[in-house]
Amino acid sequence: MTQKDITFVADFLTEHFNEAPELYNRKGKYFNVERVGQYLKDEDDDLVSPPNIEGNQWFNFLKNSTHLKESPLLFPYYPEKSLHFVKKQMEGVIDQCLQKPADVIGKSVHQAFCMSLYKTSQSEDSTPQLFKLPFLWNDKASNIHYVLFTILESSISKIYILRRHTDTSRTVSNGILAVEFGNFLNNSINESSDSRCYSCLDAHFYDDETVTVVLKESVEQEGKERVLAQLPLS
């Protein structure tokens, strides 16, 4: 340690651990604690060394302001409490503020329709994840919601497109349909149907009329092809 380090530690001890006779009546607290650490303690007791707010510009400003002094928008100040206490108080206020919107929004949400996509065996311990890469798109021009997704095991070469009108009282034709890629990239009709089969890695709407898909060759071999395709929604 350098002499500067030793001086720093000595000054710290001198400032914060002087005997404090006014604290003798507090059990086990005969010295001033470090003034930063006291704010972080996980307890609701009053601070041993509360801050001196005399001359603080913010408190003087509030004290001299008739309107702000009683304003409900300002969070109350607890000069004798730690940050842990203030944090709990603030969390309670925030929870109270969010409860009403949560109730209102929750009551306004309702199920528009129900569609069974697949069934699993009741005997299985854990249901496998069969629903993959759901992507949402809202066509504001025609007021239609789209959902793109695939169902594993059912058919990895298919991508499903579900669409619903934003007005739940209205329906759209072909509410759900499947696009199958399969072996549509085969060079000739003589190729085996299993030789060039493709599955969908990912799919997103490019715009209101176009869907972009990333296809993967399903055959397990090195150098498997990846295809980026743009499909017109029509």
Side-chain angles (χ1 to χ4, degrees), residues 113-152:
F113 75 110
C114 180
M115 178 181 294
S116 177
L117 296 177
Y118 57 81
K119 292 182 179 180
T120 58
S121 172
Q122 296 291 334
S123 61
E124 294 180 357
D125 295 334
S126 60
T127 303
Q129 179 188 358
L130 300 180
F131 196 69
K132 190 182 177 186
L133 57 94
F135 178 76
L136 309 179
W137 180 266
N138 178 235
D139 184 351
K140 295 181 174 63
S142 56
N143 296 325
I144 293 180
H145 283 307
Y146 288 92
V147 184
L148 294 178
F149 61 93
T150 58
I151 299 180
L152 304 179

Side-chain angles (χ1 to χ4, degrees), residues 72-73 75 89-105:
L73 300 178
F75 196 79
Q89 295 289 318
M90 184 172 288
E91 286 176 342
V93 173
I94 293 174
D95 289 343
Q96 187 177 4
C97 291
L98 296 179
Q99 187 59 47
K100 187 66 174 179
D103 292 341
V104 173
I105 295 173

Side-chain angles (χ1 to χ4, degrees), residues 205-216:
F205 267 83
Y206 181 76
D207 55 29
D208 288 343
E209 289 84 29
T210 311
V211 177
T212 300
V213 295
V214 180
L215 302 175
K216 176 187 73 171

